[in-house]
Amino acid sequence: MSPKVIPYLEPLEDIEARARKNFGDCTGLYLHYIIREFSRYWRGLQKREDPFLAGKVWDQLNFYFDQKLREIATIRLEMEWLIFEYDNEQLFDPEHEPGPFWRT
């Protein structure tokens, strides 16, 4: 990662922290906030016409934005988290936590 990209990625962590603080217990609201604020930040960067954001630096920034969004979605859209969010209980009975289904 180019050192030029790092300062532009730091606000993504702030956005995620605010989402966690304000909507941490509701995946729908959490993801809505993340998507809206990431998109707003992205468009703001485009409008700045910052000379540091040209060519490969812009391409890298695009890659890392996308990677961060996928990471957030993967974590939040996991059945174990969603069921806990639904009723504050574990996905499986603690006495029977299944192993991988492909093993016999």
Side-chain angles (χ1 to χ4, degrees), residues 17-27 29-30 76 81 85:
R18 285 193 307 274
R20 205 171 22 255
K21 179 182 175 195
N22 297 325
F23 307 108
D25 61 344
C26 180
T27 294
L29 292 173
Y30 176 88
R76 291 303 291 236
W81 169 257
E85 181 179 81

Side-chain angles (χ1 to χ4, degrees), residues 12 15 31-47 58 65 69:
L12 300 182
I15 291 169
L31 291 175
H32 175 76
Y33 182 84
I34 292 281
I35 293 165
R36 186 185 69 218
E37 294 303 311
F38 272 35
S39 298
R40 181 179 292 157
Y41 178 56
W42 180 263
R43 289 297 187 210
L45 289 175
Q46 286 180 318
K47 289 177 183 173
W58 190 254
F65 258 71
L69 282 170

Side-chain angles (χ1 to χ4, degrees), residues 1 7-8 10 20 25 46 55-56 67 78 87-88 93:
M1 176 184 326
Y8 296 101
E10 290 170 354
R20 205 171 22 255
D25 61 344
Q46 286 180 318
K56 291 190 185 262
Q67 187 177 31
E78 178 186 55
D87 62 10
N88 286 332
D93 181 343

Side-chain angles (χ1 to χ4, degrees), residues 24-28 31 73-91:
D25 61 344
C26 180
T27 294
L31 291 175
T74 299
I75 291 168
R76 291 303 291 236
L77 294 176
E78 178 186 55
M79 186 61 183
E80 190 168 354
W81 169 257
L82 291 174
I83 199 68
F84 183 77
E85 181 179 81
Y86 172 71
D87 62 10
N88 286 332
E89 294 189 24
Q90 299 300 318
L91 181 59

